[in-house]
Amino acid sequence: MTDEPNISDPEALSKIDTTVPQSARIWNYWLGGKDNYEVDRVAGDAFREIFPGIETGARAARYFLARAVRHLAAEEGIRQFLDIGTGLPNVDNTHEIAQRVAPECKIVYVDNDPLVLAHARALLTSTPEGVTNYVDADLREPATIVREAGKTLDFDQPIALMLMGILGHIEDYDEARSIVRQLVDALPPGSYLVQYDSTNTSEEYVTAIQQYNEGGSIPYILRSPEQIARYFDGLELIEPGVASCSRWRPDTSAWGLPAEVHQYGGVALKR
């Protein structure tokens, strides 16, 4: 793959560091996208040599997102989604899945990566009946996120809070849990938390992450499934609880995936 991302905004381009691999761009590469640079492909290939299962895990996590959003929109009647750590646009983004079920859904994406935001503004659109908006903010600023998201979402009505593969970038576990609590506390009853992260359940994965973290990128911390489950403290997990992403309510999208991947996630209700 030799294509480079096509960014027409000079200001956005000036903010993109192409000398250091970046997790959203590497994830995009593993999922077969083109929004990545040579430095990301080199890092992604090196990672895959140590841990060949990473692409399978990436697909499983993506399908988990799709199934969770579809379930919440179709079965639980959720019409508002707050997706923090959006990542680069791919097939079946949160708004596409939700608005396919209910065109009136409102979605707010949050990220602070300039490449992600440049593509989000250009590629993520909405149905006429719904709304899609974008917030440039850091996960470590939950009050800012809630304030800005509140310009689009109604925080008196249920919201699905989505933290997909992003809490591993918060190195301190207690800080990560505190951020989740602050965000969940801002949600009304009837809201949901959807969350997954990669786990330390594979020695090869641990080795690959250590090498990645030593390469100058923003570190990513692998945690145990038990630690991931603690993010849902005080909430009511829906079946099957916190599980390997390929085992969370599998449907045809999970065909061909192993039962066990090293990305674990869950969906939980705030009463």
Side-chain angles (χ1 to χ4, degrees):
M1 183 183 299
T2 58
D3 293 341
E4 298 293 313
N6 181 18
I7 304 297
S8 58
D9 184 348
E11 182 180 357
L13 187 60
S14 69
K15 296 177 181 178
I16 298 170
D17 185 354
T18 61
T19 66
V20 176
Q22 198 270 350
S23 61
R25 302 193 310 247
I26 296 173
W27 205 253
N28 174 267
Y29 173 51
W30 286 330
L31 287 170
K34 294 184 178 181
D35 296 317
N36 47 75
Y37 294 90
E38 180 64 22
V39 66
D40 307 307
R41 298 189 283 271
V42 169
D45 289 342
F47 197 108
R48 186 171 47 200
E49 284 184 13
I50 299 172
F51 180 58
I54 187 58
E55 288 183 341
T56 299
R59 291 201 312 274
R62 190 73 187 179
Y63 298 151
F64 165 69
L65 178 153
R67 294 196 303 277
V69 171
R70 191 160 50 243
H71 171 81
L72 292 177
E75 305 299 329
E76 307 296 346
I78 297 297
R79 297 294 180 261
Q80 302 189 108
F81 294 80
L82 177 55
D83 188 340
I84 303 176
T86 305
L88 287 158
N90 210 301
V91 176
D92 275 353
N93 302 287
T94 297
H95 75 285
E96 294 169 318
I97 301 164
Q99 292 180 344
R100 201 175 294 144
V101 174
E104 69 272 22
C105 284
K106 298 179 180 180
I107 295 88
V108 170
Y109 291 104
V110 181
D111 212 303
N112 68 340
D113 179 83
L115 181 60
V116 170
L117 289 168
H119 278 281
R121 293 189 181 103
L123 300 179
L124 301 181
T125 58
S126 174
T127 59
E129 303 92 331
V131 178
T132 303
N133 213 335
Y134 319 97
V135 172
D136 183 353
D138 191 281
L139 177 62
R140 294 176 176 83
E141 304 169 343
T144 299
I145 291 172
V146 170
R147 183 185 70 243
E148 294 302 311
K151 297 176 181 179
T152 301
L153 305 180
D154 181 357
F155 275 75
D156 290 325
Q157 298 297 320
I159 295 171
L161 168 64
M162 304 182 63
L163 298 169
M164 312 301 278
I166 189 173
L167 291 173
H169 286 302
I170 306 298
E171 295 186 61
D172 184 89
Y173 179 56
D174 290 336
E175 181 185 4
R177 291 186 62 207
S178 175
I179 289 169
V180 175
R181 283 197 303 272
Q182 291 176 68
L183 290 168
V184 169
D185 285 348
L187 304 177
S191 295
Y192 286 83
L193 170 62
V194 184
Q195 195 273 328
Y196 88 82
D197 261 300
S198 297
T199 64
N200 58 6
T201 47
S202 161
E203 290 184 11
E204 291 82 4
Y205 204 172
V206 171
T207 300
I209 282 287
Q210 288 174 343
Q211 178 174 293
Y212 170 81
N213 289 345
E214 291 167 0
S217 305
I218 297 174
Y220 186 92
I221 308 302
L222 297 177
R223 296 191 165 109
S224 68
E226 292 76 19
Q227 287 177 307
I228 290 175
R230 295 297 305 277
Y231 292 137
F232 297 95
D233 282 358
L235 304 175
E236 184 179 308
L237 280 162
I238 67 174
E239 290 294 331
V242 174
S244 169
C245 282
S246 56
R247 288 193 284 109
W248 196 91
R249 301 193 174 208
D251 58 16
T252 56
S253 69
W255 287 359
L257 292 173
E260 192 71 18
V261 295
H262 301 286
Q263 287 72 29
Y264 273 62
V267 178
L269 168 67
K270 179 179 180 178
R271 289 289 186 186

